[in-house]
Amino acid sequence: MTPTSVSYRRIYVWELPVRAFHWINAAAITVLGLTGFIIGHPFSVAYTQEASFQYWFGTVRFIHFLAGYIFLINMLMRIYWGFVGNAYSNWKEFIPTSRSWIGDIKEVLKVDILQTSVHGPVHVGHNRLAGLIYFGTFWMFLFQALTGFALYAPMSRLFVGKLATWIVPILGGDQNVRHLHHTMLWFYVAFAIVHVYLVFYHDYVEGRGTTSSMVGGWKFEREDYLDKH
Amino acid sequence: MSVSGDSLWITMREKGYSRREFMQFCSFAAATIGLGVQGKAEVAKAFEQKQRPPVVWLHFQECTCCSESFIRGSHPIVADILLDSISLDYTETLMAASGHQAEKSLADTIKKYAGKYILLVEGSVPTGADGVYCVIGGRSAAQILEEAAKDAAAIVAWGNCASYGCVQAAKPNPTGATPIQELVGKPVIQVPGCPPIADVMVGVITHILLFGRPPELDSRGRPKEFYSRRVHDTCYRRPYYDAGLFVESFDDDHARKGYCLYEMGCRGPVTYNACAVTRWNDHTSYPIQSGHPCIGCSEKGFWDDGPFYRHLPSFPGFPIEATADTIGAALGVGVAIGVGAHAITTNIRKRPVIQETQAESVSEPTDKKKVD
Ligand code: HEM
Ligand code: SF4
């Protein structure tokens, strides 16, 4: 194949608040997942001292709750940014609203799953399927925050926990809330694997700098494709 | 069966209790319902003057452990007076009358004291197969409840059966066991537990007798006094929990030392009850104190959240050994394998695309030299 001269344009896609949200969220979920796993699997660490001299399980829970607050506030910040940020971060980017949008989703599915060789312009922000998946993921975040804060309510005097307790009777009691909260851990594990893989994969086959875009904010797009947008 | 109308004090005197014993009971009652010592006089006055309302205690699909618990209240007068002689105008297990006589007594009380009597219900109501699973005197539990609930001044659901259906309502609930709250179109005071703590039952009853209205209830109909805190938050083993000192098997050294039972499946962190405060058997002990993890018997559907001796319940739709973690870990491995397979097929099937992209590359440094 002869080298074709293709020129690329640099586009500032992810503004700083979006990138900050992404990494704070990633860090918070990692911490929440690890500490949550320990809370759900208490194991013996130190048995040499009596209770007066150690508090490690309480500390693990404290870190979980602290990260929980960070997770929640960060998420609220991102929702706000979905209304004031640039076009790529707008909330409308996540909900399919046109027929061609659905067509784009089908296209991505074909390329990703059936591995067909169709190629051409891909939406510059989130690809259309990813956008929809992140929309679903947002509800999962919300669910995790609701169940988490509902469990947290009896041990907290702040109003935040009480805002979530309505979900307890709906889910059938604290035990079920805890079970669902715990089960959701595995959603995050599966999501993280697929998410990281797909970023690498798209970067690999499209060569638009998808991976680094979440660090610097820039994506690259062929100029001839940009015209078609 | 005594006639309603006298005050509690008069009935007690008739039974041979002294004034001192009556005052002791009043202190106890005041303390139980949270009035403190100052409330003693108020309680005594009320019990001297107020007519005690008639009480109907119905038994449906249950094991009578609520009644058993009740008669073991820490103050003997409670069992003796409230249950034995006081205005218990109808109760299947303890009344003297039987047969038509008993049925007539129930009908009479309901009619005569319409809008005044207190209805206590023990047990769930089976609604499957037109209610044939629980028939008393030729009528189904649902019919009896409907009649008795219609003109009741207050309705109390004793225990997990009446509140949530308990073991009869455990999946697959063959008899269609239904909590009474779902059958009567009125607010019900829920006093869950299998059984409820004796002193909690006494406290609820005393409150109604004394003030003529139910105690303050939470959004799920449970008296706040007794059900607003988790067992975990009042448990004396809590310091061991925070310190991460856990019993790992029954009879191990940690069990002997009285460490926290969290790893043994303790449901204290998800159970709202007064066990750790009120305790049982005249304030002697409660399950955790005797080395057994809480099974969450005052929570809705606790039978379906088993096995009891494991932190994570079994996952619905999977064999009993499977927890969210076994399934989650399998899912994680499956996803990792899928991703790996995808990476391999990508390199095979997407070759042309990748090569095309790579062909766009230009070798930059050499070009520079030439220009110079
Ligand atoms: C990605 C987010 C999160 C993950 C993966 C996660 C994971 C977990 C896991 C696995 C448990 C153990 C459940 C058990 O078996 O007992 C747990 C417990 C808990 N989590 Fe989270 N969690 C997350 C977010 C939150 C948030 C936002 C809060 C809000 C404060 C929260 C509050 C709690 C509480 C209160 C418990 C119970 C702790 C206890 O029993 O003392 N979690 N979490
Ligand atoms: S024994 Fe149960 S209720 Fe008590 S601290 Fe441990 S987990 Fe909580």
Side-chain angles (χ1 to χ4, degrees):
Chain A
M1 217 173 288
T2 46
T4 42
S5 144
V6 183
S7 48
Y8 273 78
R9 182 80 66 76
R10 192 164 70 172
I11 310 165
Y12 191 52
V13 179
W14 311 127
E15 299 158 292
L16 185 61
V18 176
R19 285 176 278 146
F21 161 77
H22 177 272
W23 293 112
I24 293 172
N25 199 37
I29 291 177
T30 308
V31 171
L32 284 163
L34 290 173
T35 50
F37 189 79
I38 295 172
I39 296 170
H41 288 262
F43 47 81
S44 8
V45 186
Y47 276 112
T48 47
Q49 289 190 309
E50 273 305 311
S52 326
F53 302 106
Q54 66 180 29
Y55 191 75
W56 75 265
F57 202 66
T59 307
V60 168
R61 291 173 60 243
F62 172 75
I63 297 170
H64 192 81
F65 306 151
L66 185 68
Y69 272 111
I70 294 173
F71 176 76
L72 176 74
I73 294 166
N74 192 44
M75 181 165 71
L76 296 177
M77 192 287 294
R78 180 64 183 85
I79 294 171
Y80 167 73
W81 202 255
F83 291 91
V84 301
N86 71 11
Y88 301 111
S89 63
N90 196 276
W91 62 273
K92 291 191 199 115
E93 278 287 287
F94 298 90
I95 308 160
T97 40
S98 66
R99 191 157 288 178
S100 77
W101 197 314
I102 312 256
D104 276 2
I105 290 178
K106 284 193 191 133
E107 196 74 352
V108 180
L109 280 174
K110 261 195 258 167
V111 173
D112 284 6
I113 294 175
L114 303 177
Q115 302 258 27
T116 57
S117 288
V118 195
H119 60 285
V122 185
H123 187 65
V124 176
H126 298 300
N127 81 47
R128 293 307 194 191
L129 179 65
L132 184 62
I133 289 173
Y134 298 149
F135 184 62
T137 311
F138 163 78
W139 289 102
M140 296 300 179
F141 288 163
L142 197 67
F143 181 81
Q144 198 69 355
L146 273 175
T147 50
F149 275 98
L151 287 173
Y152 183 57
M155 2 172 174
S156 148
R157 265 183 288 171
L158 209 65
F159 69 99
V160 184
K162 290 180 187 67
L163 293 179
T165 45
W166 55 268
I167 200 158
V168 176
I170 295 176
L171 297 177
D174 281 46
Q175 170 69 5
N176 286 355
V177 173
R178 173 163 82 167
H179 194 198
L180 287 165
H181 188 80
H182 188 122
T183 306
M184 280 293 291
L185 166 70
W186 297 102
F187 162 81
Y188 289 93
V189 171
F191 176 83
I193 298 173
V194 175
H195 174 71
V196 172
Y197 172 74
L198 281 181
V199 170
F200 288 2
Y201 162 81
H202 279 276
D203 206 343
Y204 185 49
V205 297
E206 290 163 8
R208 304 195 297 167
T210 311
T211 314
S212 67
S213 74
M214 209 31 95
V215 179
W218 302 97
K219 274 195 181 179
F220 303 88
E221 191 56 290
R222 282 168 68 145
E223 284 195 325
D224 50 339
Y225 283 178
L226 276 175
D227 300 338
K228 293 185 198 163
H229 266 276
Chain B
M1 208 167 302
S2 82
V3 191
S4 309
D6 292 340
S7 75
L8 187 75
W9 162 232
I10 293 174
T11 324
M12 281 175 75
R13 210 173 41 192
E14 278 167 7
K15 281 220 88 189
Y17 284 100
S18 69
R19 180 72 186 172
R20 172 177 283 265
E21 282 162 326
F22 171 68
M23 288 314 287
Q24 275 173 351
F25 167 69
C26 290
S27 316
F28 165 81
T32 308
I33 61 179
L35 288 180
V37 192
Q38 291 81 0
K40 181 176 159 182
E42 200 186 327
V43 173
K45 206 169 134 203
F47 281 158
E48 275 164 0
Q49 294 171 355
K50 272 197 186 154
Q51 280 187 3
R52 47 191 179 70
V55 177
V56 171
W57 183 317
L58 298 177
H59 297 251
F60 297 133
Q61 206 164 232
E62 45 90 356
C63 73
T64 317
C65 77
C66 299
S67 303
E68 288 287 346
S69 175
F70 190 68
I71 58 175
R72 281 162 186 74
S74 47
H75 208 285
I77 291 180
V78 177
D80 196 10
I81 298 296
L82 287 183
L83 198 66
D84 180 30
S85 66
I86 279 272
S87 57
L88 207 57
D89 296 279
Y90 182 89
T91 180
E92 285 93 346
T93 31
L94 292 164
M95 63 192 171
S98 63
H100 293 297
Q101 235 184 334
E103 297 308 318
K104 184 170 176 302
S105 147
L106 174 62
D108 288 350
T109 307
I110 291 175
K111 209 190 283 162
K112 188 165 160 210
Y113 298 104
K116 292 206 192 93
Y117 62 93
I118 298 168
L119 177 64
L120 312 173
V121 184
E122 190 175 343
S124 63
V125 175
T127 52
D130 287 331
V132 294
Y133 297 110
C134 181
V135 175
I136 302 160
R139 289 178 309 150
S140 73
Q143 283 170 321
I144 299 172
L145 177 67
E146 195 189 331
E147 271 173 36
K150 198 159 69 72
D151 292 319
I155 306 174
V156 178
W158 280 152
N160 200 307
C161 296
S163 302
Y164 307 126
C166 207
V167 70
Q168 313 84 270
K171 283 175 194 127
N173 191 357
T175 63
T178 311
I180 63 159
Q181 173 75 82
E182 287 172 27
L183 298 170
V184 303
K186 287 183 178 183
V188 170
I189 304 164
Q190 311 264 39
V191 188
C194 191
I197 305 167
D199 290 337
V200 167
M201 301 174 80
V202 171
V204 172
I205 282 283
T206 312
H207 196 289
I208 299 173
L209 292 179
L210 194 59
F211 297 113
R213 61 182 152 77
E216 205 188 330
L217 306 176
D218 66 11
S219 59
R220 282 188 261 173
R222 299 171 299 187
K224 276 189 185 166
E225 277 156 60
F226 308 111
Y227 293 96
S228 59
R229 278 177 297 172
R230 303 182 303 169
V231 171
H232 188 56
D233 293 328
T234 44
C235 177
Y236 79 105
R237 296 195 184 201
R238 181 61 183 264
Y240 294 113
Y241 170 85
D242 289 323
L245 296 171
F246 302 113
V247 174
E248 277 150 35
S249 75
F250 291 119
D251 302 330
D252 68 359
D253 191 41
H254 304 155
R256 192 176 58 74
K257 285 183 174 151
Y259 287 172
C260 166
L261 292 156
Y262 189 64
E263 257 189 81
M264 303 308 295
C266 184
R267 301 287 192 259
V270 286
T271 303
Y272 293 78
N273 208 340
C275 299
V277 182
T278 312
R279 309 206 179 186
W280 295 72
N281 299 327
D282 208 359
H283 317 297
T284 311
S285 182
Y286 69 113
I288 291 165
Q289 192 172 341
S290 57
H292 192 281
C294 169
I295 60 171
C297 76
S298 57
E299 291 295 313
K300 188 175 178 179
F302 75 103
W303 291 102
D304 291 328
D305 294 331
F308 289 144
Y309 302 117
R310 207 171 63 193
H311 176 74
L312 273 187
S314 49
F315 204 81
F318 285 84
I320 196 159
E321 303 81 28
T323 65
D325 286 345
T326 36
I327 293 159
L331 174 78
V333 172
V335 167
I337 292 172
V339 157
H342 192 274
I344 294 167
T345 45
T346 299
N347 278 300
I348 298 166
R349 295 207 48 179
K350 292 270 195 214
R351 231 204 178 112
V353 187
I354 295 162
Q355 275 172 353
E356 216 175 293
T357 318
Q358 281 170 354
E360 291 170 2
S361 170
V362 283
S363 39
E364 169 220 6
T366 40
D367 289 353
K368 225 180 182 181
K369 252 184 191 159
K370 271 179 197 161
V371 176
D372 284 347

